[in-house]
Amino acid sequence: MTKTPLDLLLSEAPAARPTVSLSEGSDPRVVAGALAARDAGIADLILVGDGDAITAALQAQGATAGNGIAIHDPVTSPLTADLAAAFHALRRHKGVDADAARKAVETPLVYAAMLVREGHATGTVGGAVATTSDVVRTALQVIGKAPDSAMVSSFFLMYPPQGVGGDARAMLYSDCGLVIDPSSDELAAIAAASAASCRALLRQEPKIALLSFSSKGSARHEKVTKVTKALERLTTDHPDLEADGELQFDAAFVPDIGAGKAPGSRVAGQANVMIFPNLDAGNIAYKITQRLGGYTAIGPILQGLAKPANDLSRGCVAGDVTQMIAVTVLQSMAKRD
């Protein structure tokens, strides 16, 4: 069975212990997840927020700061002045003056992201309390898009229940949390980024299915044409990738159906990267797979940023926080390779 991000790190921990900043440092789920990550040895953690509240949250779980757990209160931190100056330089062209920069850096989301930008942390995780839009906007403004990335998108890692047989397998679903209605070119960019994420986080060679309500011309519609054009762009830009489309989900997932609907395809029936035509389809699909199929969903995970920054679900539990910390560390390792 494919290893989860935490299991991967437990078997191949990086030589230098990374540091991850957590922007909601007093949330009990975040504290518990951070302590578990520290105890597993996968990272050192910076809990960002009100210092007294974080100390109380640690004490409530029988822990204190130190030994891989640091507390940073953005209002009183000795780093805040330098981070504010760096943020001012970054956002001056948008009309942000020095006072506004200081106020922004005193908010935990911006402070945690600036720690990453300025090299004090490997990556950052938020979203247990903050909305996805706030987390993503901060990541884009502070960390920014990677120079070689066409766009920023998101994905979920989907892991089947233990012991299930048949066609069940770990997969990557994209985009299920960010890009609402991607164009053909954007779908191709999402697929290319997802292929790299598949290698980094699933440790598998990607087999990419561009999904639709049609399989290989079984229906004609502009929505189908969007997917076939995306495949053309993807194969032109990345001829090394194994990809096919348009495919219905069953043709992408079930070998016998794939052989019937897309004979000769090297992807049909074997896909492990599912690219959805829009956010409606992707978001609905991952929730159905999770709730009815019993799959574990880890995400939304962001891809295309210069340095790792990731979003938690506001319904997350401590184990989700630990897994997302592991994802963030694995992404930072992939960027160094």
Side-chain angles (χ1 to χ4, degrees):
M1 182 178 175
T2 304
K3 293 180 178 179
T4 68
L6 178 59
D7 291 334
L8 277 176
L9 279 181
L10 292 177
S11 63
E12 50 180 83
R17 187 150 155 152
T19 299
V20 177
S21 61
L22 304 171
S23 58
E24 294 149 337
S26 63
D27 186 282
R29 300 164 295 172
V30 172
V31 171
L35 290 170
R38 187 275 310 270
D39 293 345
I42 65 170
D44 293 332
L45 291 310
I46 299 174
L47 301 176
V48 179
D50 180 83
D52 291 339
I54 295 172
T55 298
L58 283 166
Q59 290 175 344
Q61 300 195 40
T64 59
N67 297 318
I69 298 288
I71 298 173
H72 284 209
D73 187 328
V75 177
T76 60
S77 169
L79 296 177
T80 297
D82 286 344
L83 296 181
F87 186 78
H88 180 216
L90 176 67
R91 302 294 294 171
R92 183 187 292 126
H93 71 289
K94 292 292 188 180
V96 176
D97 62 21
D99 288 341
R102 175 79 188 209
K103 290 178 181 177
V105 169
E106 287 180 352
T107 64
L109 261 179
V110 174
Y111 181 96
M114 285 299 298
L115 288 177
V116 178
R117 181 180 178 86
E118 297 300 302
H120 300 286
T122 305
T124 185
V125 175
V129 178
T131 63
T132 292
S133 60
D134 285 341
V135 172
V136 174
R137 181 172 57 252
T138 300
L140 285 170
Q141 289 179 349
V142 174
I143 296 172
K145 185 172 65 67
D148 60 349
S149 176
M151 62 186 300
V152 175
S153 56
S154 75
F155 63 93
F156 279 80
L157 296 174
M158 308 297 298
Y159 295 91
Q162 287 190 351
V164 68
D167 301 319
R169 56 184 173 274
M171 293 175 287
L172 188 152
Y173 280 18
S174 186
D175 186 330
C176 303
L178 187 56
V179 184
I180 295 174
D181 190 16
S183 66
S184 295
D185 287 349
E186 288 172 333
L187 274 179
I190 290 168
S194 298
S197 295
C198 178
R199 292 189 179 108
L201 299 176
L202 292 182
R203 293 294 198 269
Q204 296 176 5
E205 280 302 303
K207 289 182 176 289
I208 305 164
L210 288 97
L211 300 175
S212 174
F213 60 85
S214 169
S215 287
K216 310 304 285 185
S218 64
R220 294 181 181 275
H221 192 274
E222 62 183 14
K223 299 295 185 182
V224 177
T225 302
K226 180 177 87 165
V227 176
T228 58
K229 286 184 176 180
L231 178 65
E232 292 173 4
R233 177 64 184 268
L234 180 64
T235 53
T236 298
D237 292 350
H238 302 277
D240 57 310
L241 293 177
E242 290 193 14
D244 204 356
E246 83 285 11
L247 293 172
Q248 293 163 295
F249 186 89
D250 58 353
F253 186 71
V254 182
D256 288 346
I257 296 176
K261 290 188 174 183
S265 172
R266 298 176 63 183
V267 169
Q270 307 172 60
N272 57 5
V273 176
M274 304 293 188
I275 305 299
F276 294 89
N278 56 46
L279 191 59
D280 282 332
N283 193 269
I284 292 167
Y286 105 76
K287 290 180 183 295
I288 290 175
T289 306
Q290 179 185 35
R291 299 302 178 184
L292 295 185
Y295 273 60
T296 297
I298 298 177
I301 302 166
L302 301 180
Q303 56 188 2
L305 292 165
K307 296 181 179 181
N310 284 307
D311 182 31
L312 294 162
S313 166
R314 282 177 286 173
C316 69
V317 297
D320 299 327
V321 178
T322 305
Q323 288 287 5
M324 195 62 84
I325 292 168
V327 164
T328 304
V329 172
L330 287 170
Q331 287 179 317
S332 71
M333 292 168 61
K335 286 184 177 294
R336 290 198 301 268
D337 291 344

